[in-house]
Amino acid sequence: TDIFCPYCDKFSDALMTHWDEFQSEYIEEKGIFFEVRITDMNYLSGHSNNSRPAGEGAYCAAKQGKFWDYYHGILGQLYTDYHSKGIGIDRNSAHIPDLEMDYFYDVAEDAGLDKDSFVSCMENHETANELDSNTSRASNIVGGGVPYFSFGEFSTSGFAGNFDSENDWKQAKLMLNAGLTKQQ
């Protein structure tokens, strides 16, 4: 995933909104392993300069044991500030402008991270190698399309959501069930 990929954000919003159902129905009952790998593929492809600091921020948050707090916080903030207004929701919409670093710092602080440590991590690019490694690995697997989903031998990319969490949850379940059906 890429934090500034609107299709990734739509999928994540659907899962966050339906987390209890996702956890019980898919993780517990069906035994899937759910992993999110943050990349800056949209930065590399020229679609968003924000992908780089957002990705580094996710890894800086993980160093403090607060990955999910930051991840959910930044997706929520992006929805409030941009997606809910039709900005940055797909390739044809107005783009989210290049954000100041304070945007990421404020999200981290609101998510309960130690702001001084987070700022230091970001300014010193302490997690840049981890982001680069994950992006390189993902690029070799997916060829640039995110979000990317892998279910053993079955994989797919993209997400046809629209920031309607009920509709998006139905779409997510279709993808999850297709992947699980392929495994049987």
Side-chain angles (χ1 to χ4, degrees), residues 65-108:
K66 299 261 186 181
F67 170 82
W68 289 110
D69 300 291
Y70 176 82
Y71 184 69
H72 291 176
I74 196 157
L75 293 183
Q77 196 64 52
L78 288 172
Y79 181 80
T80 298
D81 295 341
Y82 299 103
H83 297 146
S84 67
K85 299 170 183 164
I87 301 168
I89 59 170
D90 59 35
R91 292 177 190 232
N92 300 316
S93 68
H95 293 281
I96 296 172
D98 290 352
L99 301 173
E100 299 292 327
M101 291 304 294
D102 282 340
Y103 192 88
F104 304 100
Y105 301 158
D106 291 346
V107 167

Side-chain angles (χ1 to χ4, degrees), residues 158-174:
F159 187 69
N162 61 2
F163 284 107
D164 170 343
S165 62
E166 293 307 313
N167 174 68
D168 293 356
W169 177 235
K170 289 177 187 172
Q171 296 297 317
K173 288 176 70 167
L174 286 173

Side-chain angles (χ1 to χ4, degrees), residues 93-134:
S93 68
H95 293 281
I96 296 172
D98 290 352
L99 301 173
E100 299 292 327
M101 291 304 294
D102 282 340
Y103 192 88
F104 304 100
Y105 301 158
D106 291 346
V107 167
E109 186 174 35
D110 290 346
L113 280 81
D114 178 278
K115 187 173 181 180
D116 291 338
S117 295
F118 185 83
V119 169
S120 176
C121 181
M122 294 285 283
E123 287 179 351
N124 293 310
H125 302 284
E126 294 174 20
T127 60
N129 288 340
E130 188 172 7
L131 178 61
D132 291 342
S133 175
N134 233 5

Side-chain angles (χ1 to χ4, degrees), residues 35-80:
E35 179 179 4
V36 173
R37 292 189 185 182
I38 303 295
T39 70
D40 66 348
M41 294 174 88
N42 281 354
Y43 170 76
L44 293 178
S45 66
H47 292 301
S48 176
N49 290 329
N50 297 313
S51 292
R52 184 79 184 167
E56 284 189 49
Y59 290 107
C60 287
K63 286 178 68 171
Q64 293 187 36
K66 299 261 186 181
F67 170 82
W68 289 110
D69 300 291
Y70 176 82
Y71 184 69
H72 291 176
I74 196 157
L75 293 183
Q77 196 64 52
L78 288 172
Y79 181 80
T80 298

